Amino acid sequence: MYSLAFSILFVSFIILTLIVRFWLASRHIRHVLAHRSAVPAEFAEKIPLSAHQKAADYTVARTKFGLITLLVNTLVLVGFTLLGGLQWLSVEIFKLTGPGMVYQLALLAAFAAVSGIIDLPFDYYKQFGLEQRFGFNKMTPGLFFADMVKGLLLGAAIGLPLVWVMLTLMEKSGNLWWLYAWLVWSGFQLLMMVLFPTVIAPLFNKFTPLEDQSLKARIEGLMGRVGFASKGLFVMDGSKRSAHGNAYFSGFGANKRIVFFDTLLSRLQPQEIEAVLAHELGHFKLKHIIKRIVMMFAISLGFLALLGYLKNQVWFYTGLGVDPLLLPGQGNDAMVLLLFMLVLPVFTFLFGPLTSLSSRKHEFEADAFAAQHTDARDLVSALVKMYEDNASTLTPDPLHSAFYDSHPPASVRIRHLHAAAA
Ligand SMILES: [Zn+2]
């Protein structure tokens, strides 16, 4: 009874999500195409028509590609759940391994392998079809597959031990397992924040200390003014993979480092780089990063508590096309983890705009911080260049943007910055 009701609820949310996403995408495409023929007045002197049209075409192509992957992912999701894919996979693996931990790890690995194989042609097309067509791809197929193999090995080396700890807690630590699992998960996240910049990212990219002495002096001056200590300034060879440019921070505590993509440094003037960095420092100084981490921990605690409840509800499994193994020691926990991770995005999709809203608020605050500590006009000109170079549209559909975008539309950001400069 509950099982059928849950199936119906699940299907309803899938359909609702599809409708909302298709509707937003079609609005976005129409809006971008309707504004394709002219550069918006406020950018007319700064961005050539050809670049504006390239951004429109790139946005439309990406949005359409997003719809195709959405359809495929939805079919895969339904195939794994209601159509019995996971049930079949688990029965076949159970026959080979028998009950217990090996069965569970094998189930998770098999699921990861199947999803990886399904994703592969889409990832490949995205890089060598879409990004290539617009001149952003800098990867060779050799590098693409080398990255994939490294990613797989790294995922197994980090993921398997973590999953083993989680499954052991689920089985052996009683009713409050989800609380212990949360502590482990949070500790793991913090550990990754330390390991990512120092150990993991260097496996994929080269990081060299920033050598340009006058730029370095300028940046150190800014850091001194705002009171920020960092372990170093690095340049990353982002141009190895993509022409898109960026700058970011990583690590925390004494481990903080600032990373510039070489693609960004080659395009921006020193004072523009300083302004971009001031924006990033704003995120740090205004405690956006720590707020985001705390929020993430609170949300994962809520979700793990929910999982603690769902784990013992037979309808959660049968409603999603799976017969649970409920005898002690058979090893049902990997299955509930899988089901939970698969269906969670379906139920949380409609909350996406809340995240976007809070993120956009932070972007305005970081811009204001940058305007206070550097010249706002430098950030404006840096933004214009970054929009042009990344072929980001200047004319998104307002509703699409409000729903998905972590950053406010360029014109709105720039209007705020001009107000700050005046
Ligand atoms: Zn920002």
Side-chain angles (χ1 to χ4, degrees):
M1 196 52 206
Y2 280 141
S3 156
L4 180 64
F6 185 58
S7 299
I8 293 171
L9 189 71
F10 178 52
V11 172
S12 313
F13 267 85
I14 288 178
I15 294 172
L16 185 64
T17 300
L18 280 177
I19 292 173
V20 172
R21 296 188 81 141
F22 265 85
W23 175 64
L24 287 170
S26 68
R27 281 182 59 108
H28 192 44
I29 290 173
R30 272 201 313 275
H31 195 92
V32 168
L33 289 179
H35 293 84
R36 186 178 181 280
S37 57
V39 183
E42 66 234 80
F43 297 98
E45 281 156 28
K46 296 170 190 149
I47 289 184
L49 181 64
S50 61
H52 175 67
Q53 297 191 326
K54 177 185 170 186
D57 297 339
Y58 182 54
T59 304
V60 170
R62 281 185 5 144
T63 309
K64 286 184 176 162
F65 179 68
L67 288 180
I68 295 169
T69 53
L70 168 66
L71 275 184
V72 173
N73 289 337
T74 306
L75 288 175
V76 170
L77 172 66
V78 174
F80 269 128
T81 54
L82 299 176
L83 298 179
L86 274 179
Q87 174 66 16
W88 177 83
L89 198 60
S90 85
V91 168
E92 292 306 311
I93 290 170
F94 197 89
K95 278 186 206 158
L96 291 174
T97 60
M101 184 59 86
V102 177
Y103 153 73
Q104 299 193 77
L105 293 176
L107 176 65
L108 292 172
F111 172 82
V114 174
S115 329
I117 290 167
I118 296 170
D119 287 342
L120 180 60
F122 294 95
D123 293 343
Y124 192 89
Y125 171 77
K126 182 164 191 277
Q127 194 66 26
F128 298 103
L130 188 65
E131 293 286 298
Q132 179 85 39
R133 184 145 50 91
F134 289 92
F136 291 123
N137 175 42
K138 300 287 174 223
M139 266 183 160
T140 58
L143 179 60
F144 178 85
F145 286 108
D147 276 0
M148 195 178 80
V149 171
K150 270 192 227 169
L152 277 174
L153 293 176
L154 196 65
I158 297 173
L160 283 174
L162 177 70
V163 162
W164 180 80
V165 171
M166 287 291 179
L167 293 173
T168 306
L169 285 173
M170 287 174 88
E171 188 180 327
K172 306 225 156 105
S173 67
N175 282 336
L176 284 179
W177 70 265
W178 51 273
L179 194 58
Y180 310 124
W182 177 70
L183 290 173
V184 170
W185 175 246
S186 303
F188 169 75
Q189 297 276 327
L190 291 176
L191 183 68
M192 290 307 287
M193 282 175 219
V194 178
L195 291 185
F196 182 82
T198 50
V199 179
I200 297 174
L203 294 174
F204 294 89
N205 281 98
K206 257 221 289 294
F207 292 82
T208 40
L210 178 65
E211 267 164 19
D212 183 334
Q213 290 308 319
S214 75
L215 181 60
K216 211 171 149 184
R218 182 183 271 277
I219 291 173
E220 280 164 356
L222 170 69
M223 295 198 304
R225 287 204 302 282
V226 303
F228 178 86
S230 149
K231 255 288 174 59
L233 301 168
F234 292 87
V235 181
M236 188 188 101
D237 58 345
S239 56
K240 186 174 153 189
R241 293 191 176 79
S242 165
H244 291 297
N246 210 346
Y248 71 90
F249 254 149
S250 61
F252 68 113
N255 226 329
K256 290 191 296 288
R257 46 171 74 188
I258 294 164
V259 176
F260 295 104
F261 284 34
D262 54 358
T263 34
L264 187 82
L265 292 189
S266 68
R267 269 288 281 164
L268 299 187
Q269 297 296 319
Q271 67 274 21
E272 293 170 335
I273 294 169
E274 183 182 352
V276 168
L277 181 62
H279 170 99
E280 295 301 323
L281 292 176
H283 281 309
F284 181 81
K285 279 293 181 185
L286 300 166
K287 309 219 179 329
H288 296 161
I289 298 174
I290 193 86
K291 279 183 198 160
R292 210 158 47 214
I293 294 173
V294 169
M295 184 61 110
M296 191 173 81
F297 283 176
I299 291 175
S300 56
L301 179 62
F303 283 144
L304 276 164
L306 177 63
L307 180 59
Y309 164 76
L310 292 173
K311 177 168 140 42
N312 302 317
Q313 310 304 316
V314 174
W315 55 261
F316 181 67
Y317 302 82
T318 52
L320 294 171
V322 168
D323 296 325
L325 307 165
L326 290 177
L327 294 178
Q330 278 183 314
N332 191 60
D333 299 332
M335 181 61 89
V336 76
L337 274 182
L338 269 183
L339 290 176
F340 190 69
M341 286 185 307
L342 273 173
V343 306
L344 192 61
V346 174
F347 291 103
T348 55
F349 170 71
L350 292 174
F351 295 101
L354 292 180
T355 327
S356 308
L357 189 70
S358 109
S359 163
R360 283 195 301 269
K361 179 170 167 277
H362 287 172
E363 293 306 325
F364 281 127
E365 289 171 10
D367 278 350
F369 183 89
Q372 202 184 329
H373 294 278
T374 58
D375 190 334
R377 282 166 300 189
D378 291 328
L379 186 53
V380 171
S381 65
L383 280 175
V384 171
K385 280 188 189 172
M386 284 157 84
Y387 266 77
E388 180 177 347
D389 289 358
N390 288 324
S392 308
T393 180
L394 297 168
T395 56
D397 172 52
L399 212 59
H400 183 277
S401 177
F403 202 97
Y404 292 113
D405 291 351
S406 59
H407 288 63
S411 55
V412 183
R413 266 181 94 175
I414 289 173
R415 222 172 293 140
H416 280 230
L417 282 167
H418 279 314

